[in-house]
Amino acid sequence: MKLGIVGTNFISDQLVEAAQSIGVEVYAVYSRAENTGEAFANKHGIGRVLTDYDAFLGCGCDAVYIATPNCLHAGQSIRALQAGLHVLCEKPIATRRAEFDRMREQARSAGRVLMEAMRPIHDPAFEMIRAVLPDLGQLRRIDLEFCQYSRRYDAFLAGTVQNAFNPALGNAALMDIGVYPLQILVALFGLPEKCSSASTFLSNGFEGQGSVQLQYPGFLAAVSYAKIIDSVCPSVFTGERGSLTVDRLNAPTHLTLCMRGETPRELDYRPEKNNMVFELQTFRELCERGEVNHRFLQISEDTVTLSDRIRRMSKIRFR
């Protein structure tokens, strides 16, 4: 696979490192600014830098990884699919369900793979969590917490609004952080029967943090997410016989089983230093098989559908 990179931020650095570690060739990089693209290419030993998107799409790549502002995901993905390329699009795959529907339809029409780069559900830790849940007995409560202080928040407090805190780009704590726990819930249990939400907004209208209450048959789930504070508590799956704690949702390192009346024990899990390798391995396998209608698309669809509901309830607006 020859992979093209769209966007040159820190998450693209991690994806390139993951690609190189599993033998995926990073063939070209697209950046609107040539100097930025050149710096990124030199850093990672990439041979081609293009500043024209159409030229980039026609330069010989088999697939593209898109890591641009959220508002650009749908348009850039659709153009890549129309050019006959497979697309791995960074989360959130789309800012609205209507965008996702257009992306999925184009993937089907072109016969190309479209997949969301959502690392937790491809990490082996996710399957360990799924396997352990029956041991907990009847699930009664799930508390998923993912609060990650953004290094760009300091600039915001100093009066400079960077892309990460600009609601005009389709950004919000829900879209950047909240989608992690929401997609984990959706992947495990589907859409909830009911949900309610609330958010805290910054001075420019950007959603800085939020909480969601979700009702499933027999149990409740609570999701807390933020870009302006850090989490100190693990996420917890609680059943009538015990609990499972997970230290960090996007890249777990410790899974601890706490059965009632027993000494807590850590599960035998060995984390990967860069767990983006797992999503990239899945993407490559889907492309090799030509599996356009893969199961992860339904998970992305349900997550976008749920995000739309939460945005409306919390009055999160993209200006």
Side-chain angles (χ1 to χ4, degrees), residues 187-299:
L188 289 171
F189 309 109
L191 288 169
E193 295 178 329
K194 298 178 182 178
C195 71
S196 60
S197 65
S199 297
T200 299
F201 295 90
L202 305 183
S203 58
N204 67 335
F206 182 87
E207 187 217 20
Q209 66 176 359
S211 63
V212 186
Q213 303 292 321
L214 307 102
Q215 181 176 325
Y216 284 91
F219 69 91
L220 301 174
V223 168
S224 299
Y225 60 88
K227 293 186 70 171
I228 56 177
I229 56 174
D230 278 325
S231 296
V232 296
C233 299
S235 293
V236 187
F237 296 81
T238 303
E240 293 180 351
R241 294 202 297 264
S243 301
L244 174 69
T245 67
V246 183
D247 64 335
R248 189 166 179 80
L249 289 181
N250 69 329
T253 61
H254 296 284
L255 308 177
T256 306
L257 187 60
C258 308
M259 301 302 290
R260 190 174 63 250
E262 299 179 11
T263 302
R265 64 180 178 88
E266 281 209 22
L267 301 185
D268 185 17
Y269 175 67
R270 296 173 175 81
E272 184 74 28
K273 181 180 179 181
N274 181 350
N275 72 340
M276 294 182 81
V277 298
F278 301 119
E279 66 186 38
L280 191 53
Q281 286 172 334
T282 300
F283 178 65
R284 178 171 62 182
E285 291 166 4
L286 292 174
C287 295
E288 289 172 349
R289 296 196 300 264
E291 195 172 337
V292 175
N293 295 310
H294 56 87
R295 66 186 179 93
F296 300 106
L297 272 181
Q298 185 61 53
I299 295 172

Side-chain angles (χ1 to χ4, degrees), residues 9-290:
N9 57 32
F10 73 95
I11 201 69
S12 295
D13 287 327
Q14 295 179 34
L15 192 283
V16 171
E17 291 169 2
Q20 292 172 341
S21 72
I22 62 171
V24 170
E25 179 184 359
V26 181
Y27 187 75
V29 58
Y30 165 78
S31 176
R32 290 179 301 173
E34 187 171 4
N35 61 335
T36 303
E38 291 285 357
F40 186 86
N42 292 336
K43 180 179 181 180
H44 296 291
I46 303 171
R48 294 165 182 80
V49 178
L50 296 103
T51 56
D52 180 272
Y53 194 58
D54 290 323
F56 167 77
L57 296 177
C59 75
C61 295
D62 303 307
V64 296
Y65 166 68
I66 294 176
T68 50
N70 299 342
C71 63
L72 301 177
H73 287 181
Q76 290 179 332
S77 294
I78 288 171
R79 288 172 66 185
L81 293 163
Q82 289 172 335
L85 305 181
H86 303 291
V87 173
L88 178 63
C89 184
E90 190 53 59
K91 60 80 194 165
I93 193 168
T95 61
R96 296 172 174 83
R97 171 65 188 272
E99 289 181 348
F100 174 80
D101 289 344
R102 291 195 297 272
M103 296 164 73
R104 180 180 53 189
E105 181 56 36
Q106 185 58 57
R108 289 173 175 170
S109 176
R112 293 295 181 267
V113 171
L114 168 68
M115 192 185 99
E116 184 173 18
M118 177 64 75
R119 64 177 78 180
I121 65 171
H122 301 281
D123 192 304
F126 181 77
E127 290 308 319
M128 293 186 71
I129 293 170
R130 188 197 297 274
V132 166
L133 290 181
D135 297 338
L136 305 180
Q138 171 64 53
L139 278 176
R140 290 306 186 191
R141 183 167 182 84
I142 297 175
D143 295 277
L144 301 185
E145 182 170 319
F146 189 25
C147 302
Q148 183 171 273
Y149 189 92
S150 171
R151 58 188 179 183
R152 297 176 180 85
Y153 188 46
D154 290 336
F156 181 89
L157 294 174
T160 300
V161 179
Q162 299 180 350
N163 284 354
F165 284 87
N166 184 351
L169 299 179
N171 292 334
L174 171 67
M175 311 307 291
D176 296 342
I177 301 294
V179 289
Y180 284 109
L182 291 176
Q183 185 151 128
I184 288 171
L185 283 174
V186 164
L188 289 171
F189 309 109
L191 288 169
E193 295 178 329
K194 298 178 182 178
C195 71
S196 60
S197 65
S199 297
T200 299
F201 295 90
L202 305 183
S203 58
N204 67 335
F206 182 87
E207 187 217 20
Q209 66 176 359
S211 63
V212 186
Q213 303 292 321
L214 307 102
Q215 181 176 325
Y216 284 91
F219 69 91
L220 301 174
V223 168
S224 299
Y225 60 88
K227 293 186 70 171
I228 56 177
I229 56 174
D230 278 325
S231 296
V232 296
C233 299
S235 293
V236 187
F237 296 81
T238 303
E240 293 180 351
R241 294 202 297 264
S243 301
L244 174 69
T245 67
V246 183
D247 64 335
R248 189 166 179 80
L249 289 181
N250 69 329
T253 61
H254 296 284
L255 308 177
T256 306
L257 187 60
C258 308
M259 301 302 290
R260 190 174 63 250
E262 299 179 11
T263 302
R265 64 180 178 88
E266 281 209 22
L267 301 185
D268 185 17
Y269 175 67
R270 296 173 175 81
E272 184 74 28
K273 181 180 179 181
N274 181 350
N275 72 340
M276 294 182 81
V277 298
F278 301 119
E279 66 186 38
L280 191 53
Q281 286 172 334
T282 300
F283 178 65
R284 178 171 62 182
E285 291 166 4
L286 292 174
C287 295
E288 289 172 349
R289 296 196 300 264

